[in-house]
Amino acid sequence: MTAPLYPLQYEGLVREALREDLGRAGDLTTDAIVPPDRRARGAVVFRREGRVAGLDVALAAFRELDAAARVGLQTPEGHDAAGGEVVAIVDSSARALLTAERVALNLLGRLSGIATATRDVVRSLEGTGAKVVCTRKTTPGLRVLEKYAVRVGGGGNHRFGLDDAVLVKDNHRVLAGGVAAAVARVRAHVGHMVKVEVEVDTLDELREALDLGVDVVLLDNMTLPLLREAVALARGRALLEASGGITPETARAVAETGVDMISLGWLTHSVRNLDVAFDIQPTSLS
Amino acid sequence: MTAPLYPLQYEGLVREALREDLGRAGDLTTDAIVPPDRRARGAVVFRREGRVAGLDVALAAFRELDAAARVGLQTPEGHDAAGGEVVAIVDSSARALLTAERVALNLLGRLSGIATATRDVVRSLEGTGAKVVCTRKTTPGLRVLEKYAVRVGGGGNHRFGLDDAVLVKDNHRVLAGGVAAAVARVRAHVGHMVKVEVEVDTLDELREALDLGVDVVLLDNMTLPLLREAVALARGRALLEASGGITPETARAVAETGVDMISLGWLTHSVRNLDVAFDIQPTSLS
Amino acid sequence: MTAPLYPLQYEGLVREALREDLGRAGDLTTDAIVPPDRRARGAVVFRREGRVAGLDVALAAFRELDAAARVGLQTPEGHDAAGGEVVAIVDSSARALLTAERVALNLLGRLSGIATATRDVVRSLEGTGAKVVCTRKTTPGLRVLEKYAVRVGGGGNHRFGLDDAVLVKDNHRVLAGGVAAAVARVRAHVGHMVKVEVEVDTLDELREALDLGVDVVLLDNMTLPLLREAVALARGRALLEASGGITPETARAVAETGVDMISLGWLTHSVRNLDVAFDIQPTSLS
Amino acid sequence: MTAPLYPLQYEGLVREALREDLGRAGDLTTDAIVPPDRRARGAVVFRREGRVAGLDVALAAFRELDAAARVGLQTPEGHDAAGGEVVAIVDSSARALLTAERVALNLLGRLSGIATATRDVVRSLEGTGAKVVCTRKTTPGLRVLEKYAVRVGGGGNHRFGLDDAVLVKDNHRVLAGGVAAAVARVRAHVGHMVKVEVEVDTLDELREALDLGVDVVLLDNMTLPLLREAVALARGRALLEASGGITPETARAVAETGVDMISLGWLTHSVRNLDVAFDIQPTSLS
Amino acid sequence: MTAPLYPLQYEGLVREALREDLGRAGDLTTDAIVPPDRRARGAVVFRREGRVAGLDVALAAFRELDAAARVGLQTPEGHDAAGGEVVAIVDSSARALLTAERVALNLLGRLSGIATATRDVVRSLEGTGAKVVCTRKTTPGLRVLEKYAVRVGGGGNHRFGLDDAVLVKDNHRVLAGGVAAAVARVRAHVGHMVKVEVEVDTLDELREALDLGVDVVLLDNMTLPLLREAVALARGRALLEASGGITPETARAVAETGVDMISLGWLTHSVRNLDVAFDIQPTSLS
Amino acid sequence: MTAPLYPLQYEGLVREALREDLGRAGDLTTDAIVPPDRRARGAVVFRREGRVAGLDVALAAFRELDAAARVGLQTPEGHDAAGGEVVAIVDSSARALLTAERVALNLLGRLSGIATATRDVVRSLEGTGAKVVCTRKTTPGLRVLEKYAVRVGGGGNHRFGLDDAVLVKDNHRVLAGGVAAAVARVRAHVGHMVKVEVEVDTLDELREALDLGVDVVLLDNMTLPLLREAVALARGRALLEASGGITPETARAVAETGVDMISLGWLTHSVRNLDVAFDIQPTSLS
């Protein structure tokens, strides 16, 4: 039961994306060629294997252009589609299919790309007990959608922003004059419903953080041996998050050190769109 | 003299990105730890070699939070920075540096990533005469910025939307009953300032399109030998654009067939963010 | 098959226009006098002969105030209504009829006024081969609607903005140091899907522009003899557009010089609204 | 001391108008031809005599594109400029001048056109004691600006919307079952700060309205003799407004009947833009 | 027949309020616990006696989250509900009930609180002939709603803003150099559909205002004996409004002086929300 | 060092509030009476003792109308002003002072009212160790501002929305089939940076919650003896929050039971605006 997206959160984006593509003069090609009463059917096809994420968001583009469009999901959100598999079918005016296609695919391709990449890393860690989480390195304006796609891929969400949890980073530590001072100031000023995480570079700093009783410690760019020592040292007194330059290739080794979670910026900032196509065929009756 | 971005086009996005990150409660960590009158200096550093794109956009994030922030560009937009090179320095309130950092880096990393990838493909085609162009496979809401980054990388822009040029695709052809019918309808309905491109799959279709006098022909997913035949057949009567699954690895070979341009969706939909860091150090005087 | 308007493009404007008229306290008169459950029928009547443009836009105002309003078009968009002809009938709550009336008529009157004026000029040129096109001299915020009305009137659209085609004007020429320099810079920087037009004042400049192979030449404020010479000189090497102070009275003479098109700013900036009325009568059953 | 426009009321519109013109790719021509550091001076010139209205609004367009633009008014808002007179000079980047020109002129031309037409009617009524007022027949989205231009022309403003005064029209009367019933309902429901006007077609209705003590009576489409009778009958017990199909040609005769004011829809819905030009010349120093 | 609220006026606010509460990650608790297909019924219950105001606004929150929500009003808007009375029932997805509850209750509680407080003052003045009116001391962004709630409570609305009537206050008088000068300037500049009110502190000023023939006089912070003198002095030549520090406790005595109306800022700026609860129970069939 | 408000968070609201008050025609009274070049000074005066909150927000209203307004704070944000104390002085155009006054005072009065009420409760609990926190019962659209005012008053913030922490309420418990099931589902679906609170009605439920290791337990509507038992039972294993119908009068007694915090909805939904005045005096030089 992945936490859902609310239409309230994406309708504006879908409309904005359509306006961005329609510009002022609209779809010149389609409007010149296709009569307004022509109807057609379009099939959304995964060109290669991947996890389906963002169907509702993507298909909303067709409904914006044809309120009477009928959408048939062929596979549920979050399932793994085979290469060539049809994941949804849209019956609507032919114009709406042609005009909304690119916006729908741009959204579906991006979100399914993130979900698929997340799923692959999650799978690669099976048996290790480490969780995969994303970061705030998201596309401006799309954070809610991209973090949702990570959840569909089986990953977890780190902070959604600067305001839902504390993360004391290097610069904060320096400006505060040490971890202890930073944490003290945080505790004096932040509400009781907020968790506190501290970033550390060394085992000494880790010790200091653990003694302060923080909820989570971010182990920044540590070597595998150091990570193992950190796990041994913490003995569950705080959650441990490994971070910094971890790739799908190195993730398993990091996970095997025993950390509780691994955070990966590239899940949202450098992932490839999944290749999704849209096959249109005229329907007999208009 | 790359066509510029207008602040009118990105100010809203930068503000929206900051609001997305600040949420309702703002930067809990920084506000608890850093006094409001503390000042600091931050250096934007390219962690690996790449082309600088989006400096104005990214640095606008700091000015939004501290109207008195002073920004010093260390390298001009569009230049190739070495790994470790400082590309800009920001002097402002320490809070603004820490709070706007992620938004600024998300923007700069994405745009520089696109510019760098474009530059690399452009370079790989040197001597061939083929131009690199992007597509409409852009991130919803960021099309203007991403197409700008392609220009900074030395690439060209294909259509910005459905409304600034005609592109007759497969589905249009089918619905119109052939290329000739489609082009006839387009010419009857579209303004005189609009160019017409037609997508073809075969040499017969190419011949038909050339005879119709269209401005550009998109050669979809053709093999190298077919592309060479197409070039021989067209003899400059229309611009030829190769498209469909071209990668940086295959681009050179495609270009050497003699086509006029190569369009690459992955320049905008699947490129990695450039790794950019922000080093902050307190300044002595507040 | 005139290219359509998308509701996505005008719904916001209609809502904004209603808000502008409702203010904060709403329709004081109607709300005091008419019970909420009273129903009525309103007929949209053309007070004088004219071409119908903007029905969907105008009637959307009633639906915004009464989602259950039923609208019956009595004549299709783009047809020529006689004076006194009913073009649409609206059945809805009496309040919605009275409250949305002015917004609906302001929109329909303006768009039909433009369409009618355009139609009249187009008709006056019959047999000459010259096309009527509009300019960027449109009402701020209404460009998409006004250019649509020109199309309904049988005219063509010139550029929708500064970004969908190049038009090198006097000032550009001066700043570039001549037509050739200007066109060279344009070709070096602008995408391959963009047409190029150059404005000229003399035949020498026309010659220069033709030799440069531009797509369109704007002949600015030329006398009829000069226009005839220009047509003879160009012999189809570029489209020729006559512009500058042309009125409905002078348009025919200009067209007979053989130019390809005539652009008329007053179609959008100085046209009279068509006189449209709204006759309301209570319906028996609420 | 005409009531002013607030920047808060027009800044958004100016930005929207610029975005409408810039589209996604910006000013292709100017950006290709004019270097970013080139400076120039532009003079706003009235091509024919007219009253200046909207200078602040229009010139805001240049400042939006070049925050350092310096604007010198050569004549105050509300003055009558001769044909050929320079009304303002703008020094800024050459790009900003070229790119914002059309938006600035579209606004200035429309508002000065309205102010000039209003002034002319006001002048033609000199000595009659009748006031010229506008209606709600304004361009959607521009009501505040257009009503301001009427004031600059020396006219007065009728209602700004449905909510700042009561106007009982024919349809209200019918639905209420008579003028007396309508006014009674209004008085029972509307606040004490709201004036009440009633539209009448006959002298009997006028008598009824006067006996009800309404503030203003609208005499709809009455002949001159009838208007004279109405004035005699009212003897100052209410303000009398003549309305319906009045033109500049007939306005004087209507005014001479002794009515207090004349309302003219065409001041805002059918007036010609004033012809305004923008002469640009490069400045020596960048 | 209280003048209504238009959905056009509150839909945006309801959506904004939901977004404010959902933030980026949505309703974490409900989404984790309640399956998406679970249905439930919620009853809106008045915890203490009060007048119902804002039902449509409040219940719109549920429809925003579940377009298929069915809402049953148990009591009409504007009626007085007993403590414990159910005023509405909502059948919808259980998630929508839980997630929209707080937004709905915040709106209903505030508007019903205002309506109830207004009703109580109105009742306390029964027999005096004085009307209760609100002021511009409303919550930023909620003026339309709060003034509506005052009407539901039986009160009247004073100005909706600075633009729908004139109110000459102390500072205006000082800056103009006296009441007469202020009123003269107002009459020279303001439209004929606008009423004029003047604030006075003394009987001399009241005399001056009455002689000027203003529509309403605001008697600011006068003692009861002074108010009685003012009423005697005015003898109906203008409406008299008592204002300044009047409380529910003192209102009756003020009203008995014979003034026409009493204005009370606290009706909108300091009233307690009515205590409203939402009882949810699962329904058997999903 | 109270966490601040960002102008990015309130500028839009201030502009919206000014637009709400200006309407379409602007400040009729001031614009008619006060010349545009007249300058004046205004003093913001606390009419009764209270804590200053919202100065930056309120004073932004003057700057919006006169960019050159100079604002002098006479007392810092968060200090306790005496009755009659001047807290800020504004020098600007006289028009801006008169026109922005109401918006500024509405904001300052509301936020200072909340801060003062919070401060008073906080003071009344001195020595008890219990913290005062607010709830989500805030005015739609003002949550960020109202929660800030609570912090200025010395209170703490509970959740900002549904998305920054989990609160399992009665209805969740029922729908999940018990506390244990609810918490289990939450833990399976919610990120690691999110705290979990559970609402309980009985000591048995408290025991269950404590055994589950939740972060906070909300004791709903418990009697004082029950609260004391709860404190004894919990012995610090979770934070305890007392909630439900607590008033300033009963708060101290609740706090003395030993709970960690008390949440009070009326701090934001039913508090009185602080009475703030604005005294304007003309300045000698314009």
Side-chain angles (χ1 to χ4, degrees), chain E residues 272, chain F residues 116-125 132 244-255 262-267 270-272:
Chain E
R272 295 187 164 245
Chain F
T116 304
T118 306
R119 179 204 63 182
D120 290 347
V121 186
V122 168
R123 278 186 185 162
S124 78
L125 304 195
V132 173
I246 304 172
T247 64
E249 290 72 31
T250 61
R252 173 93 202 174
V254 173
I262 297 178
S263 62
L264 296 156
W266 64 262
L267 286 179
S270 294
V271 85
R272 298 187 162 244

Side-chain angles (χ1 to χ4, degrees), chain C residues 13 16-17 20-35 38-40 47 94 98-103 106-107 110 136-144 146 159-169 171-176 181-183 185-186 189-191 194 266 268-275 278-282, chain D residues 13 16-17 20-35 38-40 47 94 98-103 106-107 110 136-144 146 159-169 171-176 181-183 185-186 189-191 194 266 268-275 278-282:
Chain C
L13 180 78
E16 217 38 66
E20 187 182 49
D21 209 20
L22 286 170
R24 289 158 307 211
D27 187 344
L28 292 179
T29 316
T30 299
D31 293 339
I33 290 174
V34 185
R38 187 71 175 267
R39 301 199 65 79
R47 283 221 184 114
L98 286 157
T99 302
E101 169 184 346
R102 178 60 22 232
V103 165
N106 283 350
L107 286 161
R110 177 157 196 87
R136 286 167 44 245
K137 297 182 178 177
T138 55
T139 310
L142 299 185
R143 184 167 289 169
V144 167
E146 295 184 344
R159 296 196 293 175
F160 270 73
L162 296 160
D163 66 325
D164 53 347
V166 165
L167 175 45
V168 176
K169 303 191 124 187
N171 288 315
H172 295 113
R173 206 168 52 204
V174 171
L175 286 162
V183 171
R185 287 200 206 168
V186 160
H189 289 100
V190 163
V194 175
W266 65 262
T268 47
H269 71 56
S270 296
V271 86
R272 297 187 162 246
N273 274 25
L274 203 88
D275 195 1
F278 193 56
D279 294 337
I280 301 179
Q281 48 193 58
Chain D
L13 180 79
E16 216 39 64
E20 186 182 50
D21 209 20
L22 287 170
R24 290 157 306 212
D27 187 346
L28 292 178
T29 316
T30 298
D31 293 340
I33 289 174
V34 184
R38 187 71 174 266
R39 300 199 68 78
R47 283 219 184 117
L98 286 157
T99 302
E101 170 184 346
R102 178 58 25 231
V103 165
N106 283 351
L107 286 162
R110 178 156 195 87
R136 284 166 45 244
K137 297 183 179 176
T138 55
T139 312
L142 299 186
R143 183 167 291 169
V144 167
E146 295 184 344
R159 295 196 295 175
F160 271 72
L162 296 160
D163 66 324
D164 51 348
V166 165
L167 175 45
V168 177
K169 303 189 123 190
N171 288 315
H172 296 111
R173 208 168 50 205
V174 171
L175 287 161
V183 170
R185 287 200 206 168
V186 159
H189 290 101
V190 162
V194 176
W266 63 263
T268 48
H269 71 56
S270 294
V271 85
R272 296 185 163 248
N273 274 25
L274 202 89
D275 194 1
F278 194 56
D279 294 338
I280 300 179
Q281 47 192 57

Side-chain angles (χ1 to χ4, degrees), chain C residues 187-247:
Chain C
R187 290 206 167 126
H189 289 100
V190 163
H192 65 286
M193 296 303 282
V194 175
K195 286 207 176 173
V196 175
E197 178 169 9
V198 171
E199 176 182 314
V200 303
D201 295 325
T202 67
L203 295 183
D204 278 350
E205 289 170 357
L206 170 58
R207 254 176 230 110
E208 193 177 359
L210 291 169
D211 291 347
L212 291 163
V214 301
D215 300 294
V216 189
V217 180
L218 185 155
L219 308 168
D220 190 35
N221 268 311
M222 286 192 178
T223 60
L224 294 180
L226 217 50
L227 285 172
R228 272 188 289 268
E229 283 191 67
V231 171
L233 199 152
R235 273 168 308 137
R237 283 191 288 160
L239 290 174
L240 295 187
E241 171 188 353
S243 186
I246 305 171
T247 65

Side-chain angles (χ1 to χ4, degrees), chain E:
Chain E
M1 199 162 63
T2 302
L5 282 177
Y6 303 78
L8 207 62
Q9 292 181 313
Y10 62 74
E11 283 170 352
L13 180 79
V14 171
R15 291 171 70 88
E16 216 40 66
L18 285 167
R19 286 205 190 88
E20 187 182 49
D21 208 21
L22 286 170
R24 290 158 307 212
D27 186 346
L28 293 178
T29 316
T30 299
D31 294 339
I33 289 174
V34 184
D37 54 357
R38 186 71 173 269
R39 301 199 66 80
R41 161 172 292 189
V44 181
V45 187
F46 266 42
R47 283 219 184 116
R48 59 181 193 84
E49 192 278 341
R51 178 156 294 187
V52 180
L55 273 177
D56 283 350
V57 186
L59 299 174
F62 298 105
R63 286 209 200 81
E64 282 291 344
L65 294 189
D66 179 3
R70 276 177 305 139
V71 169
L73 298 190
Q74 305 301 105
T75 180
E77 181 87 348
H79 275 237
D80 294 316
E85 188 172 334
V86 172
V87 299
I89 284 176
V90 186
D91 286 286
S92 82
S93 86
R95 281 188 173 178
L97 291 187
L98 286 157
T99 302
E101 169 185 348
R102 177 59 24 231
V103 165
L105 297 190
N106 283 350
L107 286 161
L108 186 61
R110 177 157 196 88
L111 299 185
S112 297
I114 292 173
T116 304
T118 305
R119 179 202 65 181
D120 290 346
V121 186
V122 168
R123 278 185 184 163
S124 79
L125 303 195
E126 245 164 50
T128 66
K131 216 175 159 176
V132 173
V133 298
C134 57
T135 67
R136 287 166 43 244
K137 297 183 179 176
T138 55
T139 311
L142 299 186
R143 183 166 292 169
V144 167
L145 294 182
E146 295 184 344
K147 290 206 168 243
Y148 163 78
V150 167
R151 294 198 301 273
V152 173
N157 292 151
H158 207 288
R159 296 195 295 174
F160 271 73
L162 296 160
D163 67 324
D164 52 348
V166 164
L167 175 46
V168 177
K169 303 190 122 188
D170 273 31
N171 288 314
H172 295 112
R173 207 169 51 204
V174 170
L175 286 161
V179 169
V183 170
R185 288 199 207 168
V186 160
R187 290 204 166 126
H189 289 101
V190 163
H192 64 288
M193 297 302 283
V194 175
K195 286 208 176 173
V196 175
E197 177 170 10
V198 171
E199 176 183 314
V200 303
D201 295 325
T202 65
L203 295 182
D204 280 347
E205 289 169 357
L206 170 58
R207 255 176 228 112
E208 193 177 359
L210 292 170
D211 291 346
L212 291 163
V214 302
D215 300 295
V216 189
V217 181
L218 186 154
L219 308 168
D220 189 35
N221 268 312
M222 286 191 176
T223 60
L224 294 179
L226 218 50
L227 287 172
R228 271 187 289 267
E229 283 191 66
V231 170
L233 198 153
R235 273 168 309 139
R237 283 190 287 161
L239 291 173
L240 294 187
E241 170 188 352
S243 186
I246 304 171
T247 65
E249 289 74 29
T250 61
R252 174 91 202 176
V254 173
E256 287 175 342
T257 63
V259 294
D260 299 288
M261 77 208 78
I262 296 180
S263 62
L264 296 156
W266 65 262
L267 287 180
T268 49
H269 71 56
S270 295
V271 85
R272 295 187 164 245
N273 273 26
L274 203 88
D275 194 1
V276 188
F278 194 56
D279 294 338
I280 300 179
Q281 47 193 58
T283 46
S284 49
L285 297 175
S286 74

Side-chain angles (χ1 to χ4, degrees), chain A residues 193-207:
Chain A
M193 297 302 283
V194 175
K195 286 207 175 173
V196 176
E197 178 170 10
V198 171
E199 176 183 314
V200 303
D201 294 325
T202 66
L203 295 183
D204 279 348
E205 289 169 357
L206 170 59
R207 252 176 233 111

Side-chain angles (χ1 to χ4, degrees), chain D residues 182-199:
Chain D
V183 170
R185 287 200 206 168
V186 159
R187 289 205 168 127
H189 290 101
V190 162
H192 65 287
M193 298 302 283
V194 176
K195 287 206 175 174
V196 174
E197 179 170 8
V198 171
E199 177 183 312

